[in-house]
Amino acid sequence: MKKIKFILIVLLLAGFGACNYLDVSPDLGISEEDIFSTYKNYSNFLDAAFRREYPGAANNVNARNLKLAAPYWIDQSPMRWTLEGCITDACVCGRKLARAMRSGSMSDEAANRLTTATGYRPIMKVMFEIIRITNTSIANIDMLQDATDAQRNDLLARAYFARGMAHFTLCRYFGGMPYIDTKLGADDEWDMARLSGHDTYVRCAEDFGRAADYYRAAGLMRRDARPGEAGHLSSPDMWYANGCAALAMKGRVLLYAASPLHNALGEEDWRLAAEACGEAIAAAEDAGFEMLPKEQWTDNFMNVQYTNEQLWCYSVGNIALSNSRFYGRYGRAQCNNQNNASGICPTQNFVDRFETIWGDPLDTEEDRAAAVVLGHYNDQDPYADRDPRFDLTILHDGSKVGSKNVTVNIYKNTKGTWPTTTIGNAKNFGAEWEADPLRGTTRTGYYLNKGWNGERGNTAYRHSDPLIRMAELYLNYAEAVNEYAGPGGTAAGLPLTALQAVNKVRSRIGMPDVQSRFAGDSRLLRDRIRNERMVELAFEGHHYYFDSRRWKTVETDMNRTLYGMYVEQVSVSAEYPKGRRYTRRALTDDCQGAWKPHMYYLPIPDAESQKMRNFVNNAKWN
């Protein structure tokens, strides 16, 4: 057993491109049969894909497992960058790296940190390591001797799920990849050509489908007990996913394959995605998963470990916002002691995605003018009567936060200064936008509220990263069905139409159905479904970063002028009912976006890509 433990440590230390430790195991007096013949050892080997840590790593970056498929974990890296803040129109942030990336620039050093560098969060290196672990596990399943049928099926389900997730993660960050589905030894051919993004996602779907079949055979369509039963939401094995999550991921990857950036089969791609999402909905509903009521919506992101809306979730744990891991997400005034980044500062462009409570769009000047005529919107009281998710997501001047219902001040008073806000102690949430961008205050007049408990300091609370949840699944279905069969279309034998699916998500939060003027035309409904995704999934899971790319809307949106809201104190009057003057103001030049074709995918350092002749590298960011 000591030899087995030693060899597992060798695996932990193995890098991308290194020989499989099993190739040299005879020299250490260990054989594949020693590892894979018993359930305990086999499970420990495969568990490296889910729980492996890098010994002695500094800066809290020791995870070498599927955590690196969790966007929340990636954003907590020492670089403290967020993809939405770096390369979308949704928000800006103050990190120097983020501002360089907005113009399409990234050094080889930064790219190396994202791909292969030990000591950071090397997505590419870890995903290829996971692929090696899972392929070795699958290849040796027939050696397993003491497992029950349920255990055997669970192990295979975990392996196929992790392999699909690793390839999916690689593809959406870096583009199409070779799909490695066999155990490769030292003498095998590693130099493989890349697949297209479409074909990579289709192969991912095959693995997620296999995983779902094995989970079903193991009786693990969910890991915990159903609602109302003992053990609900309390299984220690939730991180290993389940059959419903596998089916939901199959639907998601086929949706990516069908999207404009990757679509290769036209309507057929959309049909396949619609059918897969419909199958996932049927299975999830049968297993008792459902969206939380409006009052519990925030439970998906904080304060509780798991919810019945989350099909699969990375539970971050109890961490205080004074921990530097959150400095890329929340501003100095929220975190209390960081000065190097402003956190996520939503743009006015994205804030306008949140409709009125009557369902009026506010995206354009024409939309807002129409809402004004109806008495549904006032540009000098712009935060009144908005979609409930607005206040839950966006921190703005006048927001009420925390257990003491403190009012947040982000305005310039009549004395020309920025009032403090007292949460524990007094802090400035507002400042002139042209000041040092590293000072830690907003560049847009807004901060992120989603996932923040409204308190500040060293009090820890639980954070969660829902990797896929029921609301997304309904929206995936709505998008695919609408593209394939229109607003009234259905898929997978479900009675649920595309329109009904998006309205189901809206109804849960207290929003009315999509207005009838958008409901009868697939092109008009497409825009409302996309908008619903932006609002429901805002600043969660890197959804908008990837959605804007697969839709190819990023090409237009990143070239638009980006605005914030500049707020000044004035006397209360009929014109200024809140005692504030709200002015849409263009952001400073360093916060504006730019778009270049290479920005669809993150760069891969030449030192890595040049190791293989047939691997065509991504364009450099310069």
Side-chain angles (χ1 to χ4, degrees), residues 289-293 308-309 470-471 474 501 504-506 508 536:
F289 289 102
E290 61 184 353
M291 290 188 293
L292 300 182
N308 199 46
E309 182 171 336
M470 288 297 291
Y474 287 120
K504 189 178 183 73
V505 176
R506 294 169 65 85
R508 178 272 291 272
E536 176 67 28

Side-chain angles (χ1 to χ4, degrees), residues 377-397:
Y377 179 74
N378 181 348
D379 62 8
Q380 291 304 318
D381 190 5
Y383 309 139
D385 297 325
R386 300 290 286 271
D387 183 320
R389 290 167 295 194
F390 171 69
D391 280 318
L392 296 173
T393 304
I394 307 296
L395 188 68
H396 57 85
D397 180 57

Side-chain angles (χ1 to χ4, degrees), residues 352-408:
D352 289 337
R353 299 292 188 180
F354 292 84
E355 300 171 349
T356 72
I357 57 173
W358 297 277
D360 308 292
L362 299 174
D363 295 331
T364 66
E365 290 185 18
E366 292 76 15
D367 288 334
R368 293 189 290 275
V372 168
V373 170
L374 293 171
H376 294 173
Y377 179 74
N378 181 348
D379 62 8
Q380 291 304 318
D381 190 5
Y383 309 139
D385 297 325
R386 300 290 286 271
D387 183 320
R389 290 167 295 194
F390 171 69
D391 280 318
L392 296 173
T393 304
I394 307 296
L395 188 68
H396 57 85
D397 180 57
S399 287
K400 303 285 187 179
V401 301
S403 58
K404 296 182 180 180
N405 210 31
V406 174
T407 300
V408 174

Side-chain angles (χ1 to χ4, degrees), residues 433-481:
W433 297 354
E434 295 80 3
D436 180 2
L438 298 182
R439 69 190 179 278
T441 46
T442 179
R443 314 295 310 282
T444 68
Y446 300 106
Y447 296 90
L448 179 64
N449 202 20
K450 192 173 188 177
W452 184 44
N453 68 350
E455 308 292 345
R456 189 177 59 225
N458 295 318
T459 301
Y461 68 101
R462 184 171 291 280
H463 305 259
S464 297
D465 187 10
L467 300 179
I468 190 160
R469 57 188 176 95
M470 288 297 291
E472 184 204 337
L473 182 52
Y474 287 120
L475 292 173
N476 291 350
Y477 176 86
E479 180 179 346
V481 171

